[in-house]
Amino acid sequence: MNDSTPLLLKALNKEKLDIPPIWYMRQAGRYMPEYRVVRSKFKNFLDMCKNPEVCCELALQPINAFNLDAAILFSDILTIPDAFGLGVEFIENEGPVFNNPIESIDDINNLIPFDPDSLSYVYEAVTNIKDALPKNIPLIGFCGSPWTLAAYSIEGRSSKDFNKTINFIKKYKDESHFFLSRLSDACFLYLRKQVQAGVDVIQIFDSWANILNNQELNELSFNYIKSLIFALKNDPITANIPIILFARDPKCNSDALIETSADCISLYWSMNDFCLESAKGLTALQGNLNPKILLESKEIIKKEVHEILKKFKDFPGYIFNLGHGLTPDINPEMVKYLTEIVREY
Ligand code: CP3
């Protein structure tokens, strides 16, 4: 890769760099006053996501504020269940609520076919963001993992343990697998359209990997992520697009994550036993500052950041990020400070 290649793409190509590229999960969001101004004009969060001009403005806010090395599409992972007709709404202080969750075998068998064109508002947002971004800043597109989308669709809302989902899957095993494969196919078509519209990188969010034991994780989540990555790598449109996999606190060893064939593993903040040696040359790594550290003093932030940077200093292909998303209680000043000390190190 040559000198003008963006840092993020160099790192995803497993190059060792002096200064890592920096971006943050949930870099656009409620912790930013300028986000809250725009957000206050919409009652429903999804209505805001359906407005490509507004998505463009929101995706650029953190780039302008902190001079980051990548932008992420402003949208949500729940656009796919919404396109399947499950009626996704975001309720204040509650999160997502589904008006028509998956509650029976019939609900799965009667699902409407996924039409990727019904999410054209997302691809329009991609085009707008690409046009507005400086040429050297790549744009990350994304989707939820099939498992994470299934969990929300069956549970019908956020939950600590997703008990309803686990019971449903135990009771209706074959149908649940059928649903997971329908979601995988939808993710593939959706990501391919995002790539056609201009995204440079893809991130898959397996945000509910943490509730599965090792065997379930492979059977219900990683199997589908693997086939999704295989499909993307074997399609001429998406073959060269690097794929980042974020799994929240997965109950598995480092090899299981590497074997998904993702180009980069995004480490959850508690994953400090991940084996760097076994990942070398096989995947890039991203992470993994605990976002809660940003609520501490500058001294503590600096100490924690230096520890992480020291650990990944010689790793070929490292991207600085958090171990999960920025939360609304974080002061943007600290995000600015964080970005500065990573670049100064
Ligand atoms: O900069 C960005 O990352 C913005 C784009 C983005 C959003 N959601 C916007 C958003 C991305 C990449 C997501 C991914 C997403 N959405 C995930 C995976 C990442 C993760 O946190 O593990 C998940 C699980 C969701 C589902 C979701 N969206 C929930 C559970 C909620 C409500 C609770 C919460 O965390 O805010 C959302 C709402 C949401 N998505 C907001 C934003 C900015 C806040 C909505 C608001 O302003 O009211």
Side-chain angles (χ1 to χ4, degrees):
M1 296 207 158
N2 60 40
D3 272 358
S4 62
T5 305
L7 280 183
L8 180 77
L9 301 184
K10 287 186 181 177
L12 288 167
N13 196 38
K14 305 177 202 77
E15 287 181 30
K16 196 175 152 311
L17 301 167
D18 293 333
I19 302 174
I22 308 171
W23 74 279
Y24 304 117
M25 286 191 270
R26 287 283 174 102
Q27 63 192 24
R30 283 162 296 185
Y31 78 100
M32 293 186 92
E34 52 270 55
Y35 171 87
R36 295 196 298 268
V37 171
V38 177
R39 178 71 179 87
S40 68
K41 296 176 190 153
F42 294 84
K43 192 161 177 289
N44 284 320
F45 173 69
L46 261 191
D47 287 343
M48 189 169 78
C49 292
K50 289 176 185 174
N51 185 321
E53 285 78 35
V54 171
C55 291
C56 176
E57 181 183 350
L58 295 175
L60 266 88
Q61 285 179 345
I63 307 301
N64 296 332
F66 312 117
N67 188 21
L68 302 172
D69 295 295
I72 181 161
L73 164 65
F74 192 90
S75 189
D76 199 82
I77 62 167
L78 300 179
T79 51
I80 287 184
D82 192 54
F84 269 112
L86 305 188
V88 179
E89 268 188 67
F90 285 84
I91 299 186
E92 199 156 351
N93 303 323
E94 252 188 87
V97 174
F98 288 54
N99 294 317
N100 320 307
I102 298 292
E103 290 182 318
S104 67
I105 297 179
D106 281 350
D107 289 344
I108 292 177
N109 290 332
N110 297 335
L111 271 180
I112 56 170
F114 173 73
D115 174 9
D117 291 325
S118 67
L119 295 175
S120 57
Y121 64 86
V122 176
Y123 323 129
E124 272 174 48
V126 169
T127 311
N128 289 354
I129 299 166
K130 273 302 279 186
D131 284 347
L133 269 180
K135 290 291 155 268
N136 61 334
I137 308 286
L139 176 61
I140 303 168
F142 68 90
C143 72
S145 73
W147 154 249
T148 291
L149 297 181
Y152 278 116
S153 304
I154 297 168
E155 201 73 21
R157 53 176 58 248
S158 273
S159 157
K160 270 213 149 46
D161 48 23
F162 282 79
N163 264 334
K164 189 175 160 197
T165 303
I166 300 280
N167 290 334
F168 183 95
I169 288 177
K170 282 192 181 140
K171 199 162 159 196
Y172 307 118
K173 221 177 164 106
D174 292 349
E175 290 80 5
S176 298
H177 276 287
F178 176 64
F179 183 40
L180 285 162
S181 61
R182 293 282 308 270
L183 289 167
S184 291
D185 294 346
C187 288
F188 168 69
L189 296 172
Y190 181 52
L191 291 173
R192 191 167 61 169
K193 287 267 183 186
Q194 290 186 28
V195 170
Q196 280 176 315
V199 305
D200 305 288
V201 172
I202 287 167
Q203 177 149 326
I204 300 170
F205 287 96
D206 197 6
S207 301
W208 292 106
N210 60 316
I211 60 175
L212 300 175
N213 67 33
N214 183 270
Q215 192 217 326
E216 294 165 336
L217 183 65
N218 279 310
E219 188 186 322
L220 299 170
S221 184
F222 287 2
N223 270 342
Y224 292 93
I225 290 174
K226 275 183 202 167
S227 58
L228 173 58
I229 294 177
F230 183 84
L232 292 165
K233 292 297 178 192
N234 284 283
D235 185 281
I237 291 168
T238 50
N240 297 320
I241 300 294
I243 301 171
I244 306 172
L245 172 61
F246 168 77
R248 169 164 161 192
D249 200 13
K251 309 293 181 279
C252 66
N253 60 24
S254 313
D255 288 340
L257 284 158
I258 296 166
E259 282 161 17
T260 60
S261 303
D263 299 284
C264 176
I265 307 294
S266 188
L267 301 172
Y268 186 66
W269 57 263
S270 65
M271 281 171 70
N272 292 323
D273 51 357
F274 187 90
C275 179
L276 299 196
E277 251 340 285
S278 56
K280 250 185 201 163
L282 294 175
T283 67
L285 292 176
Q286 171 173 282
N288 69 339
L289 183 75
N290 185 344
K292 286 214 156 55
I293 298 290
L294 293 173
L295 302 172
E296 303 287 339
S297 66
K298 287 189 172 175
E299 290 69 38
I300 295 179
I301 296 175
K302 195 173 210 168
K303 182 179 151 282
E304 295 282 333
V305 167
H306 282 187
E307 259 174 47
I308 290 178
L309 293 175
K310 199 170 141 207
K311 177 169 168 183
F312 291 103
K313 190 167 66 72
D314 294 318
F315 189 83
Y318 172 63
I319 299 158
F320 187 81
N321 204 320
L322 307 172
H324 205 175
L326 286 161
T327 47
D329 51 358
I330 289 169
N331 179 347
E333 270 308 307
M334 293 308 191
V335 177
K336 187 162 180 271
Y337 176 72
L338 172 64
T339 311
E340 283 165 6
I341 60 173
V342 174
R343 292 210 174 107
E344 272 165 18
Y345 178 73

